[in-house]
Structures are given as C-alpha cells and as structure tokens.
Amino acid sequence: MAFTVTILGNSSAKPTPSAHPSAQVVNLNEQYYLVDAGEGVQQQLIRRGINPLRLRAVFVSHLHGDHCYGLFPLISTLGLLGRRTPLDIYAPAPMGELLEHHLRYFDSDLPYEVKWHEVRTTEHQIIMENNTLEVWSIPLRHRVPTAGFHFREKEPGLNVDKWKIERYGLGIAQIVAAKRGEDVTLEDGTILPNAELTYRPYKARSYAYLSDTAYSPRAAERVKGADLIYHEATYALSEEMWARGRGHSTTAEAAKAAVKAEAGRLIIGHFSSRYKNHEALVEECRTIFPNTYLATEGEKFVIEEKR
Amino acid sequence: MAFTVTILGNSSAKPTPSAHPSAQVVNLNEQYYLVDAGEGVQQQLIRRGINPLRLRAVFVSHLHGDHCYGLFPLISTLGLLGRRTPLDIYAPAPMGELLEHHLRYFDSDLPYEVKWHEVRTTEHQIIMENNTLEVWSIPLRHRVPTAGFHFREKEPGLNVDKWKIERYGLGIAQIVAAKRGEDVTLEDGTILPNAELTYRPYKARSYAYLSDTAYSPRAAERVKGADLIYHEATYALSEEMWARGRGHSTTAEAAKAAVKAEAGRLIIGHFSSRYKNHEALVEECRTIFPNTYLATEGEKFVIEEKR
C-alpha cells in the first residue's frame, strides 16, 4: 500500500521567483490529502501530475496566507471541473467564516459541498478517521492558533499463519477466533497462544507535518515513532532570536524535535527567503539528526512498507 | 517617456501547468499600474523583475477569481515588504467588502492604506487622473459587471518654437501667452497665429484593456485610436456559440473590435485551455486585423512615442 508525501511548495511567506509556499500531498493507499494550500497550489498539483479532483480532503495548519491563499482558487476550479463529491476541509476557526465568505462572493453555485471541520489547535485528538487512516491534530506553538497533522496508518488486522492452519487442522471458528486475537484451544485440550498462530501483515506507518511552529518538545513526543516528519526550519542555527520572535524554528530545533520523536527521517522546509543555500541548512540539521533531507519542491518521499 | 505593457498572465480560468491567469503591468513614465490580478501575480511580478512596491494602483476589471485571486496575497506581501504609500484599487463593487474582509482576517495591521475606488461598470468616465495620465472605465459585456480600462496619456502642453522666439524677439509674457494657446501680437501690430509659433512635443498615446467581454462595438468606439488594444479572444472563430453563452469573444470578434477602434496594434489573450496552438488563433485575427499579436506571458509591448 503506497504511502507517499509529495512536496508542492516549501517556501515561507515572502514570494521568490521560483519557490512556492507551503503545500504537500499525502497519498495513503490512493487516498489523496492536501496539507496546507499556499498560493498557486492548484497549478502545482497539475504540474506534478496530481488530478485535483482526486483530493478527498484538505488540512490547513493555520490561517496565515502562505498556508491557505491557494485553497479558494482551488475550490473554484474543482467546481469548474465538475466535482460532485464533498470536499472536507480540516482547519482552525475561523476558516468556516472564510469559506462562507468565499462561497458567497465567488462560488455561490458549486456543484459539490464544501464541509468545514474545525480543528481545535490546543487538542491532541483524532480529527479524521476511516478504515485505513487516522489523522491526529498536534498542537503547535506559533503566532496564531496552529495545529500540525499526524497521519497514522491503521494497524492492520491479524492474519493467521496458513502453515499453522494446516499443521493443527484449524476450523473456521478457530481461525475467526485467532483473527480476533484470542488463543485457540485444540480438541485435545492444548491451548495455542495467539502469538504463535498470527502475525500482522505489515507495521503501521505514520507521517507528521509540523509547521509552522517554534520548538515544541510536546509536539515531538506526540508524534513519537513517526517514519517521516516534516518540520519547518525557517531559520538557520545562528538565528535563534529571529525564530523565537516569530514563532518559528531553527534547523537545530527541527533536528532536536526529530531526535525527541525518534523519527525515521526528517525533511525540512519553509525556509526564510534570505537563504539561497538550502543544503547548508540540511547540514546543520544533520549534525544533530543525520537522517535529514530537503523537502525539495516536486520531490515525492516514499514511506516504505514495514514488515 | 516610456509607455509599456508587460504581460504577466494570459490564460483563462482553468489552470494549466505553465500559463498564468490574467494580469498585466502598464508602465507610463515610470508609473506602474497592475491591471487584473489572477492567482500568482505576485510571483509573476518578481519573475519579470518588477518590484511590487513600485505599483501605484491596481485596476480590476471584474470579480471573477481568475482576475482577482492574486490581489489578496499581493496586499499581504506589500505589507511584509514594508510599503508605506497607499495602494489605490479601482474595481467594481463589491470589491470594497472583499477588501474589508481580507484586511480583517489576514492583514489587520498593514503599514499602509488600501483604498478602494468603486468602478461603475456601466459608465464611460475618468476613474483616475494625474499630470501624465487619465484612466477611463469602458463598460464591457460579460456575465458579471465588468469594465475595461483605457489608459490615455495626457496631451502634452504646447512648446514654443525657439527659432520663432529668436526671429520675432518674443518676450516672456508673449511666450507664456503662446504656451497658453493664444495668438501673439507683436509691437508693430502683426498678429502671429498660435499654430505658427507652437507645437506639441509628442502626440498622446493610449492603451486599452478589454477583458472579459463579448463583442461590444460601443466599447470599441470608446477606445477609438488606441495605439495598442488588448482584447480577450477566449474562443476560436468556430466557437461563436460558446463565446455568446459565456460572455466572451472569438478571435474574429476581437479583431472586429480592433478594426472598429482603428487600433494601432491588437494583442489577444485569455485563451480557453482547450487550445494548445495559440499562433493559429492569432492567424484567425490577422485575416481581419493584420496587426495582431499574441499577448505572450513575459512579453513587454512598447508603445513608441509619436511625434
């Protein structure tokens, strides 16, 4: 089952000639989710070969323009393209008012429903759930109410080892019981522990999006074990005062968060426009968390299956 | 005095991988004006080397998203860049409400003033004026209230021919009178007609922006003699029914408008995304109005001085 993260934009608020503001697409098992929607995201989707009609939902971390200006043109375009299925938008208040206003002035006749789900940015909780996936809000520390998002693949059900089925001649009822997690009793009274009969076909994976935020050890704790973490690193190590003043993180702080979260890999972005050499920023992270990479625009990060 | 039009975007509402929606910059004598502001215009400005802080005013033809979604991010960025001078925005109602809403939710603390000037889209009148320039609203025919804009360089004042000053020994008072357009009486009673003494250093030039619109002979009449006209040509000649249904023009209709306006040159844009070959659209225009060109993104059209 594919689990990928495609970077559509990684710049911060000040526009540059070539970079685009924050936006990513998470794909889990062909379910496409947009995470943040900086200006121009609709064109970025098309450029990266992602059909905007496939988006199931949009998650917006906070209501700064560089994270959501692109949502409103996208809503219009989905209407133009004839979308029929509802679009769920998970975002902090007052996104509901922004959407209402937008629909009133620009899209009073959409062929599909736009549904806002309020994200309470001080709560660590499930905000979206289906058979495959849970999405949790992760309270962050920024200048306005902000939540990160933790995309957690659901743990798969137990499979019964077919060799054991043969070896012990297990019947349907016993197989069903084992799949439920129970021990199985054979005819002769032997009790087979569940762990001997069953296995999970894969280990659940997860991806955490942590932006925008000052360093938050609690947020890092809450995404512990994430296979991949995106963490903003707006400033270089030397600019800690800037980061503190603006509710952002330095490279070192992003790396510290990844260490604390015992992450698999860290990808960084949302760089201030003052930096031309992003590789240098990655190097600063690597002295603390070696498995750090650039969230390069256009790149697709694959979270491999774990068995 | 420079008079140029730089095309920042020429696509219509449906996004494409490479084109950008409607936006242009008119530069007259180092006064920069933005005409329409499709999504992404701020990045387009930077790409084309135009400092957004230099913009004096923005003109918005109508409140369809592909003509104004880019205005709101631009307002924020001008704030980030520390703009102090007011930004005048000429646009139809209810732009005032859109701006108010935007400022409340995104830019409650701008370091500069945003001033909306209502454009009455049924009126042909001066909407902006200074020493160098008059901008007129041109009522257009579209699905929502829409006005085009006619940028008219002001006629220069009269200059007195210095050879005549010498030849007739004209004094200050006589020179001043001649500049005012009066005939001059010499000491011996001879009356020198003004036309013999004076000339205008250059002929006033003008640029007309006509988009979005169905064919409007009246609009064409109103911009008569324009040196350069931008006219939307959303559809090819064969798609007249589409154009009529959507309040747009075909190539032939854009060309007809240029003929009626006795324009110097015609540039066309706002093509439907169905067309890949824009040169073919230009050819269709040229059979009616030979001096037609593509309003190619990135191109700067120069309106040469006329003497």
Side-chain angles (χ1 to χ4, degrees):
Chain A
M1 232 198 302
F3 194 162
T4 67
V5 179
T6 304
I7 311 299
L8 302 180
N10 67 5
S11 76
S12 53
K14 198 160 150 211
T16 69
S18 51
H20 292 86
S22 299
Q24 307 185 352
V25 170
V26 173
N27 171 7
L28 175 56
N29 198 21
E30 301 311 307
Q31 300 169 23
Y32 289 79
Y33 301 100
L34 182 63
V35 184
D36 276 346
E39 186 187 19
V41 68
Q42 61 174 341
Q43 188 176 54
Q44 290 299 91
L45 284 162
I46 291 169
R47 281 192 174 138
R48 304 299 169 193
I50 298 168
N51 182 347
L53 286 171
R54 300 197 72 175
L55 294 172
R56 286 198 178 201
V58 183
F59 295 84
V60 177
S61 59
H62 63 297
L63 302 187
H64 275 160
D66 62 315
H67 291 257
C68 67
Y69 278 147
L71 175 60
F72 309 100
L74 176 62
I75 286 172
S76 295
T77 292
L78 291 172
L80 265 186
L81 295 174
R83 186 184 178 101
R84 293 282 184 273
T85 53
L87 180 70
D88 295 290
I89 296 173
Y90 297 86
M95 177 58 91
E97 292 163 41
L98 294 177
L99 289 169
E100 213 181 278
H101 178 271
H102 169 80
L103 294 176
R104 190 176 348 128
Y105 285 91
F106 288 105
D107 279 317
S108 54
D109 206 22
L110 274 188
Y112 69 99
E113 192 189 350
V114 171
K115 291 176 163 179
W116 171 55
H117 306 263
E118 180 175 0
V119 173
R120 294 185 197 286
T121 59
T122 52
E123 303 291 325
H124 177 216
Q125 63 189 3
I126 291 183
I127 56 175
M128 194 211 94
E129 182 170 11
N130 61 31
N131 287 342
T132 334
L133 173 70
E134 281 171 9
V135 183
W136 290 67
S137 55
I138 308 294
L140 296 180
R141 299 178 53 219
H142 193 42
R143 303 192 310 277
V144 299
T146 307
F149 302 107
H150 194 187
F151 292 80
R152 297 169 57 171
E153 186 176 28
K154 281 199 159 168
E155 187 126 73
L158 291 164
N159 281 9
V160 184
D161 184 337
K162 59 181 181 166
W163 297 117
K164 305 285 170 77
I165 295 175
E166 263 196 54
R167 178 174 162 188
Y168 294 111
L170 301 179
I172 299 287
Q174 289 164 312
I175 293 170
V176 167
K179 281 175 86 71
R180 269 202 310 258
E182 298 164 14
D183 298 331
V184 163
T185 311
L186 297 178
E187 270 179 25
D188 66 7
T190 322
I191 295 175
L192 296 173
N194 187 277
E196 214 201 279
L197 299 172
T198 62
Y199 66 96
R200 296 202 192 266
Y202 55 86
K203 290 201 181 72
R205 297 161 286 180
S206 81
Y207 169 63
Y209 177 85
L210 304 177
S211 188
D212 294 349
T213 187
Y215 175 61
S216 166
R218 197 188 290 195
E221 268 296 325
R222 285 170 160 158
V223 301
K224 198 165 200 151
D227 299 276
L228 182 68
I229 292 181
Y230 170 86
H231 197 293
E232 67 125 286
T234 307
Y235 295 103
L237 168 57
S238 54
E239 313 265 37
E240 206 181 302
M241 293 313 295
W242 268 101
R244 195 158 303 157
R246 305 286 294 159
H248 285 303
S249 294
T250 62
T251 47
E253 289 166 336
K256 263 194 343 182
V259 170
K260 194 156 185 60
E262 295 172 35
R265 268 183 302 173
L266 169 67
I267 55 178
I268 58 169
H270 198 269
F271 308 116
S272 161
S273 60
R274 70 190 68 182
Y275 304 114
K276 309 301 168 210
N277 180 3
H278 295 164
E279 278 302 333
L281 299 171
V282 171
E283 285 313 312
E284 285 189 349
C285 285
R286 283 181 175 161
T287 60
I288 297 167
F289 186 85
N291 230 4
T292 303
Y293 302 88
L294 211 50
T296 308
E297 192 176 300
E299 186 145 353
K300 180 161 39 170
F301 292 90
V302 177
I303 304 174
E304 302 288 355
E305 288 187 344
K306 304 188 292 191
R307 295 187 177 279
Chain B
M1 231 196 306
F3 194 162
T4 67
V5 179
T6 304
I7 311 299
L8 301 180
N10 67 5
S11 77
S12 53
K14 199 161 150 207
T16 70
S18 51
H20 292 87
S22 300
Q24 307 186 352
V25 170
V26 174
N27 171 8
L28 175 55
N29 198 21
E30 301 312 308
Q31 300 170 23
Y32 290 78
Y33 302 100
L34 181 63
V35 184
D36 275 346
E39 187 188 17
V41 69
Q42 60 173 341
Q43 188 176 54
Q44 290 299 93
L45 284 163
I46 290 168
R47 281 192 174 138
R48 304 299 169 192
I50 299 168
N51 183 348
L53 285 171
R54 299 196 73 175
L55 293 172
R56 285 197 179 203
V58 183
F59 295 84
V60 177
S61 59
H62 64 297
L63 302 188
H64 274 160
D66 62 316
H67 291 256
C68 67
Y69 278 147
L71 174 60
F72 310 100
L74 176 63
I75 286 172
S76 294
T77 292
L78 292 172
L80 266 187
L81 296 175
R83 186 183 179 103
R84 293 284 183 271
T85 53
L87 181 69
D88 295 290
I89 296 173
Y90 298 86
M95 177 58 92
E97 292 163 42
L98 296 177
L99 290 169
E100 215 182 274
H101 179 273
H102 169 80
L103 295 176
R104 190 177 345 131
Y105 286 91
F106 288 106
D107 279 318
S108 54
D109 206 24
L110 274 188
Y112 70 99
E113 192 189 348
V114 171
K115 291 175 162 180
W116 172 55
H117 307 263
E118 180 175 359
V119 174
R120 293 185 197 287
T121 59
T122 52
E123 303 290 325
H124 177 216
Q125 63 189 2
I126 291 181
I127 57 175
M128 194 211 95
E129 184 171 10
N130 61 30
N131 287 344
T132 333
L133 173 70
E134 282 170 11
V135 184
W136 290 67
S137 55
I138 307 294
L140 296 180
R141 299 177 54 219
H142 194 43
R143 306 194 307 278
V144 299
T146 306
F149 302 107
H150 193 187
F151 292 79
R152 297 168 57 170
E153 185 176 29
K154 281 199 156 163
E155 186 124 72
L158 291 165
N159 282 9
V160 184
D161 184 337
K162 60 180 180 166
W163 297 116
K164 304 285 170 78
I165 294 174
E166 262 197 55
R167 177 173 164 186
Y168 294 111
L170 300 179
I172 298 288
Q174 289 164 314
I175 293 169
V176 167
K179 280 173 87 67
R180 268 201 311 259
E182 298 164 14
D183 298 334
V184 164
T185 311
L186 296 177
E187 266 179 29
D188 67 6
T190 321
I191 294 176
L192 296 173
N194 187 278
E196 212 199 282
L197 299 172
T198 63
Y199 65 96
R200 296 205 190 264
Y202 56 85
K203 289 202 182 74
R205 298 161 287 179
S206 82
Y207 169 62
Y209 177 85
L210 304 177
S211 188
D212 294 350
T213 186
Y215 174 62
S216 166
R218 195 185 294 193
E221 268 297 325
R222 285 170 161 159
V223 301
K224 196 164 202 149
D227 299 276
L228 182 67
I229 292 181
Y230 170 87
H231 198 293
E232 66 125 287
T234 307
Y235 296 104
L237 168 56
S238 55
E239 314 265 39
E240 208 181 301
M241 293 312 296
W242 269 101
R244 196 159 301 160
R246 305 286 294 157
H248 285 302
S249 296
T250 62
T251 48
E253 290 167 336
K256 264 197 334 184
V259 169
K260 192 156 188 61
E262 297 172 32
R265 268 183 303 172
L266 169 67
I267 54 177
I268 58 168
H270 198 270
F271 308 117
S272 160
S273 60
R274 71 190 68 180
Y275 305 113
K276 308 300 168 213
N277 179 2
H278 296 164
E279 277 303 333
L281 300 171
V282 171
E283 285 312 314
E284 286 189 350
C285 285
R286 283 180 174 160
T287 60
I288 297 167
F289 186 85
N291 230 3
T292 303
Y293 302 88
L294 211 50
T296 308
E297 193 176 300
E299 186 144 352
K300 181 165 31 175
F301 293 89
V302 177
I303 304 175
E304 303 288 357
E305 287 187 344
K306 305 189 293 193
R307 295 189 177 277

